[in-house]
Amino acid sequence: MRVRGCGPAAVGAGLCFAMLAACGGSADRDPPPRAPRVSPTATGESPPTTATGGPAVNGKVIVIDPGHNGGNADHTEQINKKVFVGNGYKACNTVGTNTRDGYSEHAFAWDVANRLARVLREWGAKVTLTRKDDTGVGPCVTERAAIGNRLHADAAVSIHADGAEPSGHGFHVIEPVAVGKNASIVEPSRKLGTAVRDAYRSGTGIPYSTYRGRDGLDRRSDLGGLNLSTVPVVFIECGNMQNPGDAATLSSAPSRQRMAESLAAGLESYLR
């Protein structure tokens, strides 16, 4: 997710996790001015899943990092605080982007994360989210990453939507590169990234990003959630909120359910 300015000053992309540093995409460019915030579309419950299978995730520990948070925009001093992300300092967290109609990235990520958690729990996985609601602040990307590390997660995924130029469309999965302590998880994270990429493309029909990465995959060293992780982890930019076609898909509840089920299938494939 390319991030918006927090108040008058723009903030760079935070990673979302600390799980994953709250951001992704080309986070250093500011998207269009923020539209009025809208309420999250999900609470803790999701509609019944139509996904089947998932024996490989039974008993596995999976951490889901819904990017950003609903209270970040009102607490810019707190989220702008610099934290060490393995190879430098970045903002604790960021605000995220939104569609032109005002559907926020933080609400999108929260909704998809809860739908995904429900599918995985039905399959027997032990699932933890890095934030408990969509009205709070943070946590910092360092803490998001630390959650997966403390739990010795079998896999972690950070959910985002990008704020790129409107001409760009499609999704991409971001994998880590070696930055200090994360070196041992780079290769398994690439396997996780490929599994998530393949399942998401097959399950949603959304094409690979036309503006970032190659064949739906990208690698970055500037995201704290990837740099600080000691468990296999990837970010996914599920689409570009500034592109009208992607925005319509991201704003659709049935589409978000398909995204969640596709992500679950990707995790199941990786853990098989």
Side-chain angles (χ1 to χ4, degrees), residues 107-195:
F108 166 82
W110 178 244
D111 183 66
V112 174
N114 277 279
R115 293 172 186 271
L116 173 58
R118 176 163 183 165
V119 174
L120 293 172
R121 286 168 179 154
E122 288 178 351
W123 290 353
K126 301 174 183 177
V127 181
T128 297
L129 273 64
T130 60
R131 54 184 172 101
K132 63 181 181 180
D133 55 40
D134 195 41
T135 57
V137 181
C140 291
V141 298
T142 48
E143 174 57 20
R144 292 176 187 243
I147 291 170
N149 297 345
R150 287 195 299 266
L151 293 173
H152 303 288
D154 294 289
V157 59
S158 186
I159 299 171
H160 294 267
D162 213 351
E165 294 298 322
S167 58
H169 65 90
F171 80 96
H172 63 282
V173 176
I174 307 172
E175 304 168 344
V177 297
V179 178
K181 294 182 179 180
N182 76 341
S184 65
I185 58 93
V186 169
E187 283 306 316
S189 295
R190 288 180 180 174
K191 293 179 181 178
L192 173 60
T194 298

Side-chain angles (χ1 to χ4, degrees), residues 23-243:
C23 319
S26 306
D28 292 331
R29 285 187 294 173
D30 294 334
R34 186 176 76 180
R37 188 187 306 168
V38 296
S39 299
T41 57
T43 59
E45 299 186 13
S46 303
T49 176
T50 59
T52 59
V57 307
N58 185 33
K60 300 296 186 181
V61 177
I62 299 175
V63 170
I64 305 172
D65 177 47
H68 314 285
N69 207 331
N72 284 5
D74 296 326
H75 296 82
T76 56
E77 182 176 354
Q78 185 173 339
I79 68 165
N80 286 343
K81 179 182 177 180
K82 299 298 183 182
V83 295
F84 184 65
V85 296
N87 57 359
Y89 289 84
K90 296 189 75 171
C92 158
N93 207 250
T94 55
V95 177
T97 189
N98 52 254
T99 68
R100 298 304 178 98
D101 291 332
Y103 183 47
S104 65
E105 180 185 359
H106 65 77
F108 166 82
W110 178 244
D111 183 66
V112 174
N114 277 279
R115 293 172 186 271
L116 173 58
R118 176 163 183 165
V119 174
L120 293 172
R121 286 168 179 154
E122 288 178 351
W123 290 353
K126 301 174 183 177
V127 181
T128 297
L129 273 64
T130 60
R131 54 184 172 101
K132 63 181 181 180
D133 55 40
D134 195 41
T135 57
V137 181
C140 291
V141 298
T142 48
E143 174 57 20
R144 292 176 187 243
I147 291 170
N149 297 345
R150 287 195 299 266
L151 293 173
H152 303 288
D154 294 289
V157 59
S158 186
I159 299 171
H160 294 267
D162 213 351
E165 294 298 322
S167 58
H169 65 90
F171 80 96
H172 63 282
V173 176
I174 307 172
E175 304 168 344
V177 297
V179 178
K181 294 182 179 180
N182 76 341
S184 65
I185 58 93
V186 169
E187 283 306 316
S189 295
R190 288 180 180 174
K191 293 179 181 178
L192 173 60
T194 298
V196 168
R197 186 272 313 268
D198 291 349
Y200 191 83
R201 176 73 179 91
S202 175
T204 67
I206 298 172
Y208 299 148
S209 171
T210 61
Y211 61 92
R212 185 90 192 194
R214 181 177 180 180
D215 295 332
L217 296 174
D218 192 21
R219 294 172 184 168
R220 291 177 58 173
S221 63
D222 63 325
L223 297 178
L226 300 181
N227 294 354
L228 300 174
S229 182
T230 57
V231 301
V233 59
V234 294
F235 274 48
I236 181 166
E237 297 285 2
C238 294
N240 178 16
M241 284 193 149
Q242 300 307 307
N243 176 271

